[in-house]
């Protein structure tokens, strides 16, 4: 059985492929974060708790997601 390795976005030499992959990951991370912040707020978490969990200040997370 032959194992041919195809390049991944992490190892590609093509900047366009790598940058597209980085953008897709950033967008996915933003959606996951937004969904989890909303879930935490519904569960009664404070902005301080959410900020601590994300490694940011409560002010910055509130500014980003507070309504």
């Amino acid at each position: 059985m032959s194992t041919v390795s195809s390049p991944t976005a992490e190892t590609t030499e093509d900047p366009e492929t790598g940058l597209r992959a980085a953008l897709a990951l950033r967008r996915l991370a933003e959606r996951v974060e937004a969904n989890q912040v909303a879930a935490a707020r519904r569960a009664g978490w404070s902005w301080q708790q959410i900020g601590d969990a994300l490694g940011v200040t409560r002010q910055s997370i509130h500014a980003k997601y507070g309504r």
Side-chain angles (χ1 to χ4, degrees), residues 24-40 42 50 54 61 64-65:
L25 288 170
R26 186 177 319 118
R27 287 178 176 165
L28 175 60
E30 286 293 324
R31 285 195 310 268
V32 169
E33 181 180 276
N35 288 337
Q36 293 306 310
V37 168
R42 284 191 304 273
I50 296 168
L54 292 172
I61 204 67
K64 188 172 183 179
Y65 295 107

Side-chain angles (χ1 to χ4, degrees), residues 29-60:
E30 286 293 324
R31 285 195 310 268
V32 169
E33 181 180 276
N35 288 337
Q36 293 306 310
V37 168
R41 292 296 292 161
R42 284 191 304 273
W45 283 38
S46 69
W47 292 112
Q48 183 68 53
Q49 288 172 297
I50 296 168
D52 289 347
L54 292 172
V56 297
T57 65
R58 67 178 171 80
Q59 293 92 340
S60 66

Side-chain angles (χ1 to χ4, degrees), residues 13-26:
E13 294 292 322
D14 177 19
E16 184 175 359
T17 300
L19 291 170
R20 275 198 222 157
L23 176 61
L25 288 170
R26 186 177 319 118

